[in-house]
Structure formats: structure tokens, C-alpha cells
Amino acid sequence: VSFREDGAASLDWVASYLERVRDLPVLAQVEPGELRERLPQAPPDRAEPFTDVLRDLDELLLPAATHWQSPRFFAYFANTGSEPGILAELLAAGLNQVGILWRTSPVLQELEELTLDWLAQLLGLPAGLHGHLEDTASTGTMTALAAARQAKPGARVVVCSEHAHSSVDKACRLLELETRAAPADEAFRLRPDALDLSGACAVVATIGTTSTSSIDPVPAIADACEREGVWLHVDAAYAGSAAVCPELRDAFAGWERADSIVVNPHKWLLTPMGCSAFWTRRPDDLRAVFSLVPEFLRVSEEVASLSEYSSALGRQFRALKLWAVLRCYGREGVQARIREAIRLAALFEGLVRDDPGWEVVAPRPFSLVCFRRDGTDEENEALLERVNASGEIFISHTKLNGRYVLRLAVGNARTTEDDVRFAWEVLRREAARAPA
Amino acid sequence: VSFREDGAASLDWVASYLERVRDLPVLAQVEPGELRERLPQAPPDRAEPFTDVLRDLDELLLPAATHWQSPRFFAYFANTGSEPGILAELLAAGLNQVGILWRTSPVLQELEELTLDWLAQLLGLPAGLHGHLEDTASTGTMTALAAARQAKPGARVVVCSEHAHSSVDKACRLLELETRAAPADEAFRLRPDALDLSGACAVVATIGTTSTSSIDPVPAIADACEREGVWLHVDAAYAGSAAVCPELRDAFAGWERADSIVVNPHKWLLTPMGCSAFWTRRPDDLRAVFSLVPEFLRVSEEVASLSEYSSALGRQFRALKLWAVLRCYGREGVQARIREAIRLAALFEGLVRDDPGWEVVAPRPFSLVCFRRDGTDEENEALLERVNASGEIFISHTKLNGRYVLRLAVGNARTTEDDVRFAWEVLRREAARAPA
């Protein structure tokens, strides 16, 4: 059997999967360990045909998948592996480029730089930022904080709102920095009047927090950071993609003054996983931490390698999928998807507001609705578990002011108005049922 | 145009690429900035068809690629994106799983755990190690050293040979640890009699160093680490895959005593980029650094997530490609490729040895040959640049005992005896030419 035949079967599998994914249970309906028990506990001695892999993918693996590609996935921040992005991953795997130095893959490095520049233009960021791609926003935040620590010796505190992402705490553990949580206001935004920058090397401000998508007041935070010489890192991992729409730019006021910014195209910009954009206006501070060229990598070209700006040495060809997405959607196509997600979230928010048994519990600047059913935390948690166990939709939760809160995030590009209305019906139906 | 049609064209592109890659110039024949200048400086407003992406890939991007898939790629450590691995990447992109918690993708987590267990069995590692995948060995080494630092408070020194990979230095910068280079013997192996573990939290021992593929004496180093309570990390990023062959296991003596081990299937185990295996027998020490479960991720299942063992939160579905490779080659198929690479390297070594104008300058335990032409460092460097500029083959270099040394690494699965003999002819031809 040839690569072409196995490839055609694989392609057909993906196409069929995308066609039927709406009808699959969104949350995997398996118990922990169930898949592992069903698979052979030892690798085969002899080669098996690729068609066996496809068969097992269908019969054994698929039931253990939670379907992020489902238009009825509303948990965390819903995302989309779009068709151009998927095919670009096939092409990238075929090319198998390794970015170490420029010469080991000029195309990887130059397309990454160009695509980050394209994306900066689309988002209205200033010209001249240095951009590169990381696997996740966690890595980008760690990269920023390492540069901030280096840039201000002795300052070992990182300030962020209590609603900042857990990756800030994780990076601080790794970098042996201390996090100082600034209090938030009633709309879950960092309170700049309560900002204590003593001993701080960095502030992480979030545009689109994970719990509620709240927006920290970046202009006031930037003022304070400039006054004190503190690195400002803006985490816009989820919401950043929305800056492609001019009418939403107010939410991003001040981010052009950040020392570093993270936006995840693999969240809300149609790109398959493993594509987190990082920009900085202080590339020299990144190089001070990460540039290290051993003898076996010294060559005649005088081109800085992207590995000098981050912790990994060998890079995957992550830019190809983002480049393909930006070309195959174009500015207008990306804008249309962002606007539609926000429209659908607003629709859902309206349904919740209009029902007296339910409550919207946080402002909704983008496509995430935070809400709860009247009743106890335990009842809301039981409701979430029943809804998710049904497999019809998948939502997640958070806690706000000590209360259990449901989160519905619109972000999958295949989600329609019908899917959102369906989600609301499932929630109402399960709320009406007494818990088992 | 549909996904199926664009997909068929993409698949055909990859198949044709693999068929013709031997005939393409191995090292990209472009100047820095050349590709970037040829591409549009701004993203399109309107959607473009995917066929335009494929056309530009062919006409603009491909000339700026250095062909790691070429059987005539002999630089660094040559690798292979094999056919099953490439197709598994297509499938993984189609599924677009995101590993955050177990429930967000049971298949991602359980297949990663199972596949790491399979690979441990293939390599003869002890049962019961905790395994997970990272993007690169740099991240794995950083993970290990962060755990080592945490496990031994106050000990801030990492000991390694002067031939250890630069990622050790880079991780130490990030973790604010100090590296102490132990001297190496005449075969470029760390000298255990010169091991000073005062103040050390970790030793990094390498099986298959980057410069020469030398093998540090792990048993003696493990003795010292056990005596002093120091974390032993074994970097077998390149050579580790060779442990699949029982006749090569002597080289790995003692690695079963390591606290952590890194092996890169994306180097010598036929897996496309972004697949670095990490095992530890001290998972609790990793969790002490990396486990951090915020409220929005607290759920009812009591299953530790793989994100609790490493710095990233959201994980890509990296295991699928490794699982597909292990199944479609089987133990015997993987062994055959390792043995063939070593046979071809031995053949090349013999050609060099038999020619009086050339010298082999390091022992060859695996598939890397270190050699030089009689003459000055400048002459050898000019020779390397001429050979690489020809596009016919691609090799790299290092410095040993202050001398410029050429490196030829066999590792691409498509490399034949003819390719190796061709490489030798190119080297001899260019050596015979006076430099320009």
C-alpha cells in the first residue's frame, strides 16, 4: 500500500469526521483508564498496515476524544482547526523543517517573521515589533517574565490581577519570582489604584481573562509601568484575535505600549493547536536571556536565529498553518468569524437574561457568557455535570465572588445559531430535571 | 472548492515532494531576506483559494527550504518525517485535540502515556517510569533541572561535560543555576574521576553528545549521584532511539538509574518534528514544580493531568504520530533503520580512513562520523562551505581540541549506500579544487 493510498484514506477520514462531528458526543463518554485498557499493552514486533491505525482510530480512539471541533463545544475557550490550517499541517509534516539556525530552514524563519508581521497589521499593533511563535501562551508568558527579570535585577515580584491566568503563577514558580495579586473591581478588572509595584519586575495585564473575559485597564497600568520602569506583559491569548475588528479596538487601548504581548491564533483565529503569537518591542532583552550560540551552530551568515528569542532550540514549522489561514480567510473572513461568534454569544446572553430563573453574572465584552441558574453552588455544579454527561453540549465553569458560575464560550467557527439555541434548550431541560 | 479537493491536491504535493526531494538542493540556495522580499508585505483583505497557497509553496517557499527530508542531508543529526508520521499529523490536526485536563482529551492523555510506555519497553527501560512528551529536548532538560532544583534546596550547580548540549546552559540561565563543566577524556566522555558535585543539584550525562556522539560513563556518574543525593538527568536525545537494538544496549548501561531521561523520536525514530520523550522515576518532584490546578479547571475526576508534569498547560496531540510510527514500523522495522544508518556511517568512516588525505577524529559509536581533511581549519571550513553551497549534500561542523572538524550524520531513513558514496565523492571533488 502506498503513501498516496493511505493518504487518501486519511484525508477521507478527516473529511468525514468534520462532516459528522456535530453528531458525536462532545465530551468523551469514557471512564479514566478505559482507552488504555482496550489498547495493546506492548508495541508490535512486526509492521502493521496504516489502515489498522485508521481502524483503531475510528473504533477505539474516537470514543475517547472530546470533540473540540464540534460546533457544540462551548467550554473553556472554544477553538477551530480550520480546513486550510489542517491541510497546512499536512504540508508542514511533509516538509519536516527544523528551525535551528536561519540556514537550517530559511522558509521557517522568514515565513514566521512575515506572518507575525501580517498578524500585527491585522490586529492594529504598531510596526516594528519583533514577533515569533511559541507552542502555548504559557511558554510566551514565561519568556516575557524571564526577560523582565533579567532587565531589572533584584526585582522579583510579578504583579497581576487575581483573575490572571494560572500560567503566570506557573512561570513565576519556574523563575523563582513572587506573584502579587492586585485586587479586581466589580467587573473583574485589575484596579489600577490598588497597584503596588514595589520590587516588581513585571505586570501581567489581561485583555480577556480566562474566567470572565474581563479587560484590565491597560492604559492606566502602562502609565504606572512606565513610571516605575516595570515590564508590561499583555496576555490577550483568547481575546487578542478580536482586535482584527476595528469596532472592537477600544478593548485593546494601550496594548501598543506593552513590552510584550501574547495572542493565540490557535484559540480564536482558526489555526490548529500549537500556534501562540508573541511580540515584543524589547527583543534585545529576550536575547540577553536566550541567545546562546554554541560552536556547532556557528556559521557565516549574520542572521539572528529565532531560537535566540525563546527557550527551545529546534523549532517546528508553526507559521505555515497561520499563513494559510490568513490567506484563505483574508482580513474580511477572519472579521466575519469574530463578529459571528460575538453575535451568537450576545444571543445566548439575551436568552439567559430573559429567563427569570437564570442570571448573567459578568459583563460580556467578547464571546464568553458567564451565568448561573438560581440555586446553590451544588445545584449549579450538578447541572453542569448532567449537561456535559449528556454529550449534547460541553460547557465549563469558574468561581466568581465565591460562587459557582457556568461558562459558555462561542468560538468554534462551525457553530450556528441553531447550535446556540440547542445549548440553551439542553440547559433548560436539565435544569428542570431533579438531580439523580 | 472543497476540503476534499484541496486535500487531494495537498496530499499529491507531499507525495510528489517526497519522490523528488533527492534531486533538490539540500541546503536552501537563497540569501537572507530573499524570501521575505518576494512575499506580499501585507495580508490579503479577501479570501484566497488554497490552490494559491500550494502554488506559492512550490514557487516561492520551496526554494527557501533546507531539505531535512533529503536522503543527502547529513548535517546536525539527520532525521525523517516518515509516511505514517506525516499522515498521523494530518489526523491529529483534523481532530485538533487540546490536552488541558484528562476530560478535555482522554485520548490525548492516555495514548501519550501508553505510547511512552511502549517506547520505554522498546528501549529496554525499566517498567514504572512516568513518561510524557515535550516539543523539544531543551524543554525536557529544563523540566528535569527545575525538578532537581526544587528537590535539593540551596544546591544551585548543574554539572555536565564540556560536550553537553547548549540547552543545559540555556536552562540554567532560565533557572538561575550555575553550570560546572567537568573535563572530558580523549574520547570526549565526561571524566568521572574529575566530577565535583559540591553544591550540585543535578548532573546531566549525555549518551550521544552533539559534537561527536560520545557516551558519558553513566554507571560511574550514577554512583556519584546516588552517593551525594544529586539528580541524574540523561540526555539521549539523538542516540536513545538506538537502544531499540539489543546489540547496542551496552552504550546505555546505567541509564535505568537516571532520575530523568530524554530521547527524541523526532531525531532518529522516524517521527515528524515536535516529539521529545521524557521519562522520570520521580514524578512527584515534577509535580512539586508544575502542578497547579486553578478553579476553572477543577472537575470531579481524580486524574492527574499531564500539564502537572511540565511547563505548558494546553497540550497538542503529539502522541498520535509516535504511536502510528511504532505500529507501522514495529520493533523490527525500527531496528532495521537504526542498523542501516549505523552500517552506512561505518561505510563512510571506512572511506575516510582508507584515504591518506583525510582523518577520522573521534570514535563512532552510532551513525555520526567526525572527520577532517588534512590542512588548516580555514581550509576545512572553506571545504564545508563549498560542499554545502553545491546543494548536493549538506554537512555540518564542530570544534574538537580547538580544531575545525566536519560532521557527517546518517539518520534519514531514505539514505542509501549510493547517497553515502555520493557524499564522499562530493567531498573529495571539492577538496581537490582550490578555494576560490
Side-chain angles (χ1 to χ4, degrees), chain A residues 11-22:
Chain A
L11 189 68
D12 183 62
W13 191 90
V14 172
S16 307
Y17 171 69
L18 295 176
E19 284 157 12
R20 68 191 158 122
V21 66
R22 176 177 274 114

PDB file of all heavy atoms in Angstrom, chain A residues 11-22:
ATOM      1  N   LEU A  11      -7.221  11.306   4.499  1.00  0.00           N
ATOM      2  CA  LEU A  11      -7.917  12.541   4.135  1.00  0.00           C
ATOM      3  C   LEU A  11      -9.423  12.328   4.175  1.00  0.00           C
ATOM      4  O   LEU A  11     -10.181  13.172   4.676  1.00  0.00           O
ATOM      5  CB  LEU A  11      -7.473  12.942   2.734  1.00  0.00           C
ATOM      6  CG  LEU A  11      -7.921  14.309   2.288  1.00  0.00           C
ATOM      7  CD1 LEU A  11      -7.214  15.391   3.088  1.00  0.00           C
ATOM      8  CD2 LEU A  11      -7.630  14.482   0.810  1.00  0.00           C
ATOM      9  N   ASP A  12      -9.855  11.193   3.661  1.00  0.00           N
ATOM     10  CA  ASP A  12     -11.274  10.881   3.695  1.00  0.00           C
ATOM     11  C   ASP A  12     -11.756  10.764   5.135  1.00  0.00           C
ATOM     12  O   ASP A  12     -12.853  11.219   5.473  1.00  0.00           O
ATOM     13  CB  ASP A  12     -11.515   9.561   2.944  1.00  0.00           C
ATOM     14  CG  ASP A  12     -12.993   9.230   2.885  1.00  0.00           C
ATOM     15  OD1 ASP A  12     -13.744  10.029   2.294  1.00  0.00           O
ATOM     16  OD2 ASP A  12     -13.392   8.185   3.437  1.00  0.00           O
ATOM     17  N   TRP A  13     -10.914  10.196   5.992  1.00  0.00           N
ATOM     18  CA  TRP A  13     -11.298  10.063   7.400  1.00  0.00           C
ATOM     19  C   TRP A  13     -11.516  11.454   8.013  1.00  0.00           C
ATOM     20  O   TRP A  13     -12.517  11.691   8.701  1.00  0.00           O
ATOM     21  CB  TRP A  13     -10.229   9.290   8.187  1.00  0.00           C
ATOM     22  CG  TRP A  13     -10.729   8.935   9.544  1.00  0.00           C
ATOM     23  CD1 TRP A  13     -11.394   7.799   9.891  1.00  0.00           C
ATOM     24  CD2 TRP A  13     -10.688   9.767  10.709  1.00  0.00           C
ATOM     25  NE1 TRP A  13     -11.756   7.860  11.213  1.00  0.00           N
ATOM     26  CE2 TRP A  13     -11.345   9.045  11.743  1.00  0.00           C
ATOM     27  CE3 TRP A  13     -10.173  11.020  10.989  1.00  0.00           C
ATOM     28  CZ2 TRP A  13     -11.497   9.559  13.033  1.00  0.00           C
ATOM     29  CZ3 TRP A  13     -10.321  11.545  12.268  1.00  0.00           C
ATOM     30  CH2 TRP A  13     -10.979  10.813  13.279  1.00  0.00           C
ATOM     31  N   VAL A  14     -10.587  12.366   7.746  1.00  0.00           N
ATOM     32  CA  VAL A  14     -10.710  13.711   8.327  1.00  0.00           C
ATOM     33  C   VAL A  14     -11.941  14.423   7.771  1.00  0.00           C
ATOM     34  O   VAL A  14     -12.712  15.041   8.515  1.00  0.00           O
ATOM     35  CB  VAL A  14      -9.441  14.550   8.073  1.00  0.00           C
ATOM     36  CG1 VAL A  14      -9.648  16.004   8.510  1.00  0.00           C
ATOM     37  CG2 VAL A  14      -8.249  13.952   8.819  1.00  0.00           C
ATOM     38  N   ALA A  15     -12.139  14.320   6.466  1.00  0.00           N
ATOM     39  CA  ALA A  15     -13.300  14.979   5.856  1.00  0.00           C
ATOM     40  C   ALA A  15     -14.600  14.442   6.447  1.00  0.00           C
ATOM     41  O   ALA A  15     -15.502  15.203   6.805  1.00  0.00           O
ATOM     42  CB  ALA A  15     -13.262  14.782   4.335  1.00  0.00           C
ATOM     43  N   SER A  16     -14.690  13.127   6.572  1.00  0.00           N
ATOM     44  CA  SER A  16     -15.901  12.525   7.147  1.00  0.00           C
ATOM     45  C   SER A  16     -16.059  12.935   8.602  1.00  0.00           C
ATOM     46  O   SER A  16     -17.170  13.176   9.071  1.00  0.00           O
ATOM     47  CB  SER A  16     -15.825  10.991   7.080  1.00  0.00           C
ATOM     48  OG  SER A  16     -15.559  10.577   5.779  1.00  0.00           O
ATOM     49  N   TYR A  17     -14.952  12.966   9.313  1.00  0.00           N
ATOM     50  CA  TYR A  17     -15.005  13.369  10.724  1.00  0.00           C
ATOM     51  C   TYR A  17     -15.595  14.771  10.858  1.00  0.00           C
ATOM     52  O   TYR A  17     -16.490  15.000  11.680  1.00  0.00           O
ATOM     53  CB  TYR A  17     -13.599  13.305  11.329  1.00  0.00           C
ATOM     54  CG  TYR A  17     -13.522  13.899  12.718  1.00  0.00           C
ATOM     55  CD1 TYR A  17     -14.149  13.264  13.789  1.00  0.00           C
ATOM     56  CD2 TYR A  17     -12.840  15.081  12.963  1.00  0.00           C
ATOM     57  CE1 TYR A  17     -14.100  13.809  15.067  1.00  0.00           C
ATOM     58  CE2 TYR A  17     -12.779  15.631  14.227  1.00  0.00           C
ATOM     59  CZ  TYR A  17     -13.418  14.995  15.277  1.00  0.00           C
ATOM     60  OH  TYR A  17     -13.372  15.542  16.536  1.00  0.00           O
ATOM     61  N   LEU A  18     -15.127  15.679  10.041  1.00  0.00           N
ATOM     62  CA  LEU A  18     -15.629  17.053  10.142  1.00  0.00           C
ATOM     63  C   LEU A  18     -17.102  17.124   9.741  1.00  0.00           C
ATOM     64  O   LEU A  18     -17.858  17.938  10.266  1.00  0.00           O
ATOM     65  CB  LEU A  18     -14.785  18.002   9.279  1.00  0.00           C
ATOM     66  CG  LEU A  18     -13.329  18.158   9.743  1.00  0.00           C
ATOM     67  CD1 LEU A  18     -12.544  19.044   8.781  1.00  0.00           C
ATOM     68  CD2 LEU A  18     -13.253  18.710  11.169  1.00  0.00           C
ATOM     69  N   GLU A  19     -17.505  16.259   8.826  1.00  0.00           N
ATOM     70  CA  GLU A  19     -18.910  16.243   8.414  1.00  0.00           C
ATOM     71  C   GLU A  19     -19.842  15.707   9.516  1.00  0.00           C
ATOM     72  O   GLU A  19     -20.980  16.132   9.636  1.00  0.00           O
ATOM     73  CB  GLU A  19     -19.076  15.390   7.149  1.00  0.00           C
ATOM     74  CG  GLU A  19     -18.584  16.117   5.883  1.00  0.00           C
ATOM     75  CD  GLU A  19     -18.205  15.166   4.740  1.00  0.00           C
ATOM     76  OE1 GLU A  19     -18.543  13.953   4.832  1.00  0.00           O
ATOM     77  OE2 GLU A  19     -17.549  15.613   3.786  1.00  0.00           O
ATOM     78  N   ARG A  20     -19.329  14.776  10.326  1.00  0.00           N
ATOM     79  CA  ARG A  20     -20.217  14.132  11.305  1.00  0.00           C
ATOM     80  C   ARG A  20     -19.950  14.585  12.730  1.00  0.00           C
ATOM     81  O   ARG A  20     -20.609  14.106  13.659  1.00  0.00           O
ATOM     82  CB  ARG A  20     -20.105  12.603  11.201  1.00  0.00           C
ATOM     83  CG  ARG A  20     -18.765  12.042  11.655  1.00  0.00           C
ATOM     84  CD  ARG A  20     -18.606  10.547  11.272  1.00  0.00           C
ATOM     85  NE  ARG A  20     -17.203  10.187  11.245  1.00  0.00           N
ATOM     86  CZ  ARG A  20     -16.658   9.216  11.987  1.00  0.00           C
ATOM     87  NH1 ARG A  20     -17.413   8.488  12.793  1.00  0.00           N
ATOM     88  NH2 ARG A  20     -15.377   8.954  11.911  1.00  0.00           N
ATOM     89  N   VAL A  21     -19.012  15.501  12.932  1.00  0.00           N
ATOM     90  CA  VAL A  21     -18.599  15.794  14.314  1.00  0.00           C
ATOM     91  C   VAL A  21     -19.728  16.405  15.147  1.00  0.00           C
ATOM     92  O   VAL A  21     -19.799  16.205  16.359  1.00  0.00           O
ATOM     93  CB  VAL A  21     -17.318  16.675  14.330  1.00  0.00           C
ATOM     94  CG1 VAL A  21     -17.569  18.062  13.756  1.00  0.00           C
ATOM     95  CG2 VAL A  21     -16.740  16.762  15.732  1.00  0.00           C
ATOM     96  N   ARG A  22     -20.649  17.128  14.482  1.00  0.00           N
ATOM     97  CA  ARG A  22     -21.765  17.711  15.228  1.00  0.00           C
ATOM     98  C   ARG A  22     -22.596  16.641  15.942  1.00  0.00           C
ATOM     99  O   ARG A  22     -23.196  16.910  16.979  1.00  0.00           O
ATOM    100  CB  ARG A  22     -22.647  18.549  14.300  1.00  0.00           C
ATOM    101  CG  ARG A  22     -23.888  19.122  14.996  1.00  0.00           C
ATOM    102  CD  ARG A  22     -24.735  20.009  14.101  1.00  0.00           C
ATOM    103  NE  ARG A  22     -24.283  21.393  14.095  1.00  0.00           N
ATOM    104  CZ  ARG A  22     -23.771  22.020  13.057  1.00  0.00           C
ATOM    105  NH1 ARG A  22     -23.623  21.392  11.911  1.00  0.00           N
ATOM    106  NH2 ARG A  22     -23.414  23.274  13.145  1.00  0.00           N
TER     107      ARG A  22
END
